[in-house]
Amino acid sequence: MTCAEAFQAYALRAIGIGERALPQGEITVCEQAVLIGSGMIWNVYFLVLALSLGFFFAVGLALAKASDTWLIRKPAEWFIFLFRGSPLFIQFFMAYEAFVMIPRLGFEFELFGIAIGAETRWFARAWLGALIVLFFNTSAYAAEIFYGALRSIPKGDLEAADAYGLTGWKKFKRITFPTTMRLAWPAYTNEAIFMFHATALVFFSSFPTFQQRGDALYYASYFADRTFNPFIPYPIVAAYFVVLTLVIITIFGAINRRLNRHLPQDQRRRLRLRPTLIR
Amino acid sequence: MFTFCEDPSTLSSLPWFACYLTNGVHMLFYQSFLTVFALLAVAAPLSLAFGFLAATASRSPIAPARWLGKGYTSMVRGIPDIVFFLFFVLVLDQGIEYIRHVINCPDWDEPIRQGANFLVCDAARTPQGNAAQWVHETYNFGLAVFTYAIVFGAFCGNVLFGAMNAVPRPQLETAAAYGMTRRQAFWRVLVPQMWIYALPGLSNIWVILIKATPLLFLLGIEDIVYWAREIGGSRNSRFAYPHPDWRFWYFLGLLIFYLCFTRVSEVVLARVTKRLSRGQATAGGEAMRKATT
């Protein structure tokens, strides 16, 4: 099979478009690269959705943790402790077992005038179940980062806001929130990268693949098992991850520059990248 | 375990659970917690040693050693470590077999990689096919521990390299002024002083190492995740202790175990940090000095 044919057959294999059967027997490097690349679709899917939804939840959690009211603070603290203190791997297992126990129901509802059918068995599928776990997990980690930033807002900034007569929502929107983001952004960039790496765990935990539609690592380990040669598929996954990590750094770096655009050159906070850490 | 456990079907729920939780497979389950502790006990010092070597190599005046150290410590950036776990276990396994193959069977003329096969002579098979079960298990566990040490050694290398650079330069200059050689200054001044700078990073890695232990399951070790899945699955009435699917509850138990473990570690590490700050030229040490006088 030539490279072009492999691309045609497998470029979208991970989302169920293209050749049904995975390559057998002699497997070319092209086929491996294309299939692993198509698996990356899932990694990116999990990353983008969990991170973008988790961001808002994390801001809410951070504010709740910083709240003076005991009844609001405690649940947020426990939530963050629960998801930060336990391995993501165990969280996946537990969530899967919990989702399997949900009775199988189907119901329909209308959203903006369109009838939508929903089924509870979707929870046991990776695209929804794993997404929920990743969403909660990244929310907890990001909330801790935002909470730290919230606590380290310079006192003078808040006093200046008071002096200008800003209160409540306006003060939050104009002073507290932008400063929090500015302070938290370098750490949040790291969190986004960890999160991306954590997506590789999805199909290795309990969530089953459906019709062999898996993520990049799923295909890589499939090839490693088939060819008994780890030196080709794993470096390919590694290369994909490095490239996409660089993309994340570029995007987050651009946002970081925008957040700090009002500061003099030498006071801008640089993005400092830490080595990846798993959860 | 207990004398009344002979016929579990007649028991009421409390003694039933007492018997159930102490039966043979549960004992294996409890023993597998020792596997986790054994992994931590071996992998933690080993990865610290790897990290120390890597950090030392990264500061070396010899360029190839520096490249090697830097390359090793930066490999964990950008690539998920689960990839390394899966990769190194296979590579180590094949590497050991290949080396033994070259030594034991010098007159073997067929290629080792034939299509999708990795063929070495029988004498090079590791462990030998007729070896006892425990040899296989120990060998697999050893491979897993070594893999953990390689990956976490790279993390430690990063932290220790940063810590070595964080030791104030005047300390080393003073050592040089006292006529210490490079080596003496390294062992007598730099190494004793770097730990307080390394500790926040190292304690972070320790917690991450704890949270990475369930990945042993992916490397084919019969660890706590394996047993939780095995025992938790539903048992029909052919078994002595029939029960529905309880895997959720077993995983809940593991979750609580890990929560407690990380919590205890954090508390202990906070104490160690306090102890090491004593007498150091850092903000923490300064605060302690002020508090006592």
Side-chain angles (χ1 to χ4, degrees):
Chain A
M1 197 185 259
T2 65
C3 275
E5 280 170 356
F7 189 79
Q8 247 178 359
Y10 294 121
L12 295 174
R13 174 63 177 76
I15 49 174
I17 301 169
E19 200 82 27
R20 263 190 88 95
L22 293 183
Q24 304 279 340
E26 286 291 302
I27 301 173
T28 62
V29 177
C30 259
E31 285 170 317
Q32 301 197 13
V34 171
L35 253 178
I36 291 171
S38 96
M40 279 317 273
I41 296 172
W42 279 112
N43 294 85
V44 173
Y45 161 84
F46 286 123
L47 171 76
V48 170
L49 278 184
L51 211 60
S52 52
L53 297 175
F55 177 82
F56 298 100
F57 190 40
V59 172
L61 272 175
L63 288 175
K65 193 177 174 183
S67 158
D68 291 330
T69 317
W70 186 85
L71 210 63
I72 301 175
R73 193 176 65 238
K74 280 292 155 193
E77 277 178 357
W78 275 99
F79 182 89
I80 293 173
F81 172 63
L82 183 70
F83 279 93
R84 276 170 47 97
S86 60
L88 178 62
F89 195 58
I90 301 280
Q91 290 166 21
F92 273 131
F93 270 116
M94 248 191 88
Y96 179 71
E97 299 302 336
F99 289 146
V100 168
M101 287 202 292
I102 297 175
R104 297 202 168 169
L105 299 172
F107 47 86
E108 293 197 355
F109 56 93
E110 268 191 21
L111 194 71
F112 308 121
I114 310 161
I116 294 173
E119 290 177 67
T120 50
R121 69 186 168 86
W122 287 350
F123 281 107
R125 293 273 175 79
W127 69 264
L128 184 61
L131 183 63
I132 291 173
V133 177
L134 286 170
F135 163 71
F136 282 144
N137 192 279
T138 188
S139 299
Y141 277 88
E144 188 66 26
I145 293 169
F146 292 156
Y147 171 73
L150 208 58
R151 294 288 299 262
S152 51
I153 296 177
K155 215 170 83 183
D157 287 22
L158 297 175
E159 282 168 358
D162 289 336
Y164 274 105
L166 293 175
T167 49
W169 170 245
K170 217 170 212 175
K171 180 180 167 188
F172 176 75
K173 199 183 87 178
R174 296 211 180 148
I175 308 293
T176 316
F177 183 69
T179 315
T180 310
M181 283 305 115
R182 198 163 56 77
L183 294 175
W185 206 257
Y188 188 62
T189 308
N190 282 324
E191 161 58 23
I193 295 169
F194 306 157
M195 172 69 211
F196 183 46
H197 294 171
T199 58
L201 271 179
V202 168
F203 290 102
F204 272 89
S205 51
S206 42
F207 285 95
T209 48
F210 178 63
Q211 292 176 348
Q212 293 188 313
R213 300 175 195 171
D215 75 333
L217 193 56
Y218 170 81
Y219 288 122
S221 78
Y222 171 87
F223 290 131
D225 286 348
R226 278 299 147 93
T227 61
F228 214 64
N229 181 0
F231 294 99
I232 297 171
Y234 289 126
I236 293 176
V237 194
Y240 274 116
F241 269 103
V242 167
V243 169
L244 279 165
T245 304
L246 289 177
V247 172
I248 296 176
I249 292 173
T250 313
I251 296 172
F252 276 71
I255 299 175
N256 189 46
R257 270 197 303 284
R258 183 164 168 79
L259 285 171
N260 287 314
R261 67 194 185 284
H262 60 287
L263 291 179
Q265 284 286 342
D266 57 334
Q267 282 182 24
R268 293 187 185 176
R269 286 169 67 98
R270 286 282 187 77
L271 283 184
R272 255 188 71 231
L273 293 168
R274 300 256 170 76
T276 81
L277 311 168
I278 46 171
R279 286 83 76 87
Chain B
M1 178 110 183
F2 302 110
T3 44
F4 55 83
C5 289
E6 273 161 19
D7 189 7
S9 54
T10 59
L11 294 169
S12 63
S13 68
L14 199 64
W16 189 90
F17 270 106
C19 294
Y20 172 67
L21 291 176
T22 52
N23 68 4
V25 278
H26 273 85
M27 286 304 158
L28 288 175
F29 177 49
Y30 302 141
Q31 275 173 23
S32 67
F33 280 88
L34 292 181
T35 314
V36 172
F37 291 126
L39 171 83
L40 287 173
V42 183
L46 208 57
S47 42
L48 200 58
F50 279 12
F52 189 77
L53 284 180
T56 318
S58 306
R59 310 179 74 239
S60 157
I62 309 158
R66 206 163 52 230
W67 295 333
L68 200 69
K70 294 253 187 199
Y72 172 57
T73 51
S74 58
M75 80 176 191
V76 285
R77 290 167 201 257
I79 302 166
D81 36 14
I82 176 72
V83 175
F84 287 114
F85 282 131
L86 297 176
F87 177 71
F88 275 123
V89 165
L90 260 178
V91 168
L92 284 174
D93 193 25
Q94 293 189 354
I96 291 171
E97 290 201 336
Y98 178 74
I99 290 168
R100 291 191 58 190
H101 174 84
V102 172
I103 294 170
N104 291 344
C105 316
D107 44 352
W108 186 271
D109 50 0
E110 287 173 55
I112 287 180
R113 281 201 193 285
Q114 297 178 0
N117 285 318
F118 182 83
L119 289 175
V120 288
C121 61
D122 282 334
R125 291 223 186 279
T126 313
Q128 292 287 303
N130 55 7
Q133 179 66 20
W134 70 268
V135 177
H136 282 269
E137 281 176 14
T138 314
Y139 176 71
N140 286 339
F141 183 72
L143 281 185
V145 170
F146 204 69
T147 308
Y148 269 78
I150 292 175
V151 173
F152 280 87
F155 286 136
C156 291
N158 263 310
V159 168
L160 291 180
F161 181 67
M164 286 178 183
N165 285 341
V167 172
R169 273 214 77 75
Q171 300 279 350
L172 294 178
E173 282 162 7
T174 311
Y178 273 103
M180 289 191 200
T181 60
R182 220 184 126 83
R183 174 182 298 240
Q184 282 174 328
F186 178 76
W187 285 110
R188 297 185 188 173
V189 179
L190 187 67
V191 173
Q193 289 198 14
M194 72 176 188
W195 296 110
I196 185 60
Y197 301 100
L199 201 64
L202 288 182
S203 46
N204 202 3
I205 292 176
W206 168 252
V207 174
I208 292 159
L209 179 62
I210 292 174
K211 286 194 268 173
T213 48
L215 298 180
L216 267 181
F217 171 69
L218 296 183
L219 307 183
I221 310 291
E222 295 186 359
D223 73 331
I224 46 180
V225 178
Y226 170 86
W227 284 111
R229 274 166 62 109
E230 197 71 12
I231 306 173
S234 57
R235 292 270 179 274
N236 57 23
S237 51
R238 284 193 296 116
F239 290 86
Y241 298 94
H243 62 77
D245 192 342
W246 279 353
R247 273 180 294 187
F248 177 78
W249 304 107
Y250 279 90
F251 283 118
L252 188 66
L254 293 191
L255 192 84
I256 292 167
F257 165 71
Y258 276 107
L259 281 178
C260 296
F261 198 6
T262 49
R263 188 83 202 131
V264 168
S265 301
E266 278 172 2
V267 171
V268 170
L269 287 168
R271 287 204 172 171
V272 174
T273 313
K274 214 174 157 194
R275 174 74 189 76
L276 281 185
S277 295
R278 208 176 282 172
Q280 290 278 355
T282 59
E286 190 63 29
M288 289 174 91
R289 209 168 5 254
K290 277 193 184 131
T292 50
T293 52

